[in-house]
Amino acid sequence: MRHNKQSMIRLIAAIDRERGIAKRGVIPWHIPEDAAFFDSETKKFGGKVLSGGVTFRVGYGGHPLAGRQNYILTHDPQPIEGATVIHDIAQFLEKFEGDLWVAGGAAVFEEVMELGYADELYLTHVDASFGCDRFFPEYEGSFTQIEQSEPKEQNGFTYRYTKYRRSA
């Protein structure tokens, strides 16, 4: 468990009705407003973002997120230009100071939550099912919803932004 209570670790994801986040490595919906929300939010609180290697290669096209300090969790020993490569997530989180966004994928979300480091969740709930093969971890019993937007619609998808805080 983290000792530095001044820091916050926030997980950010869009999920479908089954907590699905990806299908065959890609997000199966296209909601530009949510992509802009992700971009804007992850630049807040110092703009430090942790992502897994698959998310980096597939989701970001192998390019660090612009305007943010990128940390990439991977087994690959090769350096990544414009990012800091991380090989041990537990060791990284134990020593990390400040605020951090965790942007996926599924295994990274799961490990951060299992280690007890997730303070807040920023989840976009997409009101549909996509037959995803990667899922956001169960959170309902450990987190309390503290904010929810009105339903929004774009490209035929209905969605809402929610924010959860770890329950005491």
Side-chain angles (χ1 to χ4, degrees):
M1 198 64 98
R2 190 171 64 259
H3 302 291
N4 180 357
K5 287 297 173 193
Q6 276 69 36
S7 65
M8 279 283 248
I9 296 182
R10 299 170 176 91
L11 282 59
I12 186 166
I15 64 174
D16 75 2
R17 289 181 189 145
E18 281 78 42
R19 294 191 332 274
I21 60 173
K23 185 175 185 176
R24 290 190 291 279
V26 295
I27 297 171
W29 53 82
H30 179 63
I31 305 174
E33 186 177 289
D34 185 53
F37 175 79
F38 172 90
D39 191 57
S40 170
E41 291 298 308
T42 57
K43 288 179 180 173
K44 295 178 181 175
F45 309 112
K48 296 174 182 171
V49 181
L50 170 66
S51 307
V54 174
T55 299
F56 174 73
R57 288 187 306 277
V58 177
Y60 310 161
H63 302 286
L65 297 171
R68 284 150 282 194
Q69 187 172 344
N70 290 254
Y71 298 94
I72 310 300
L73 178 68
T74 180
H75 297 292
D76 189 338
Q78 295 300 315
I80 297 172
E81 189 174 335
T84 301
V85 174
I86 305 301
H87 300 296
D88 182 329
I89 194 169
Q91 185 179 27
F92 171 73
L93 292 172
E94 179 65 32
K95 294 179 179 178
F96 188 84
E97 293 187 10
D99 293 328
L100 180 69
W101 289 98
V102 178
V108 177
F109 288 138
E110 189 170 328
E111 196 160 1
V112 171
M113 289 175 75
E114 282 180 3
L115 290 167
Y117 283 98
D119 296 308
E120 292 182 341
L121 310 176
Y122 285 62
L123 299 178
T124 301
H125 291 271
V126 181
D127 191 19
S129 296
F130 295 89
C132 291
D133 55 21
R134 294 289 178 261
F135 299 89
F136 193 83
E138 286 192 32
Y139 61 90
E140 289 85 350
S142 306
F143 290 82
T144 304
Q145 183 177 304
I146 57 171
E147 290 179 23
Q148 176 176 292
S149 74
E150 292 298 316
K152 299 174 177 290
E153 191 173 324
Q154 189 174 37
N155 283 352
F157 300 112
T158 302
Y159 61 97
R160 61 183 157 62
Y161 301 120
T162 58
K163 184 175 168 184
Y164 298 82
R165 187 160 292 140
R166 184 173 43 206
S167 302

